[in-house]
Amino acid sequence: LQIDYRDGSDLSKAVEAARDADLVLLVVGYTHADEGEFVNATPLVAKEKGGDRRSLTLSPADETLILQASSANPRCVVVMEGGSAVITEAWRERVPAILMLWYPGMEGGTALANLLAGDANPSGKLPCVFPRSADQLPFFDADAREIEYDLYHGYRLMDKQQDTPAFAFGF
């Protein structure tokens, strides 16, 4: 087994490596600095990082990497890290496999290797809905200090509106 690692910072080199590979594993997503429960106690202090993401899609760089690498080699597995749903519509039909690792911690690489080698079964179920677009979700204001939702959000809202998510609750 030979592993040819590229960090994705040079897109052309990453795509070239993908073209020549038997299998492409793309690890993309977010860190705790991009999202989380960081909220300042005082409204006078600007929030520097963390909190709610402004977009539910991956970063433009991650989406470009997925699109170009999967064009160069259709045998791409996309591994996402993050703390909440990700909209995958721009690329999900172009890859044969997607794994959501959430934030796997210091043994995440070991766990991923066990999944990829078939030593463990990726048998987890999604604890939330992954929508096809933000339009399938209730109104969201990242700067709001307070907001109230009724019972219809997540899968309940999609059921009520007879919407089909990308990945349903429990997928």
Side-chain angles (χ1 to χ4, degrees):
L1 174 68
Q2 179 181 341
I3 297 174
D4 186 3
Y5 171 78
R6 296 288 188 271
D7 69 4
S9 61
D10 185 327
L11 183 59
S12 62
K13 286 185 179 180
V15 171
E16 181 181 325
R19 186 175 291 112
D20 297 332
D22 294 326
L23 171 74
V24 179
L25 182 65
L26 300 169
V27 180
V28 297
Y30 296 97
T31 70
H32 72 283
D34 300 315
E35 62 181 358
E37 297 302 321
F38 178 87
V39 178
N40 284 315
T42 171
L44 300 177
V45 179
K47 182 166 61 170
E48 293 180 19
K49 59 185 176 178
D52 292 319
R53 285 185 271 139
R54 301 272 178 188
S55 171
L56 290 180
T57 61
L58 293 172
S59 71
D62 283 349
E63 288 199 339
T64 298
L65 176 62
I66 294 167
L67 290 169
Q68 291 197 17
S70 64
S71 290
N73 187 334
R75 294 175 307 278
C76 286
V77 174
V78 174
V79 178
M80 297 188 299
E81 292 190 9
S84 63
V86 177
I87 294 174
T88 59
E89 291 308 293
W91 52 267
R92 77 176 165 94
E93 296 296 331
R94 307 230 354 226
V95 298
I98 302 169
L99 288 172
M100 182 63 178
L101 288 189
W102 303 101
Y103 289 126
M106 62 187 265
E107 285 296 316
T110 302
L112 177 59
N114 287 335
L115 293 173
L116 295 173
D119 296 333
N121 181 1
S123 57
K125 307 286 187 215
L126 289 180
C128 61
V129 171
F130 279 42
R132 286 181 287 116
S133 77
D135 295 336
Q136 292 182 308
L137 302 172
F139 171 75
F140 174 72
D141 178 0
D143 297 317
R145 301 272 306 151
E146 185 176 310
I147 194 160
E148 186 174 320
Y149 293 112
D150 61 17
L151 292 176
Y152 296 105
H153 54 85
Y155 73 90
R156 287 186 182 116
L157 178 63
M158 288 191 203
D159 283 349
K160 180 181 178 185
Q161 295 176 345
Q162 297 181 346
D163 250 343
T164 303
F167 302 103
F169 175 80
F171 182 90

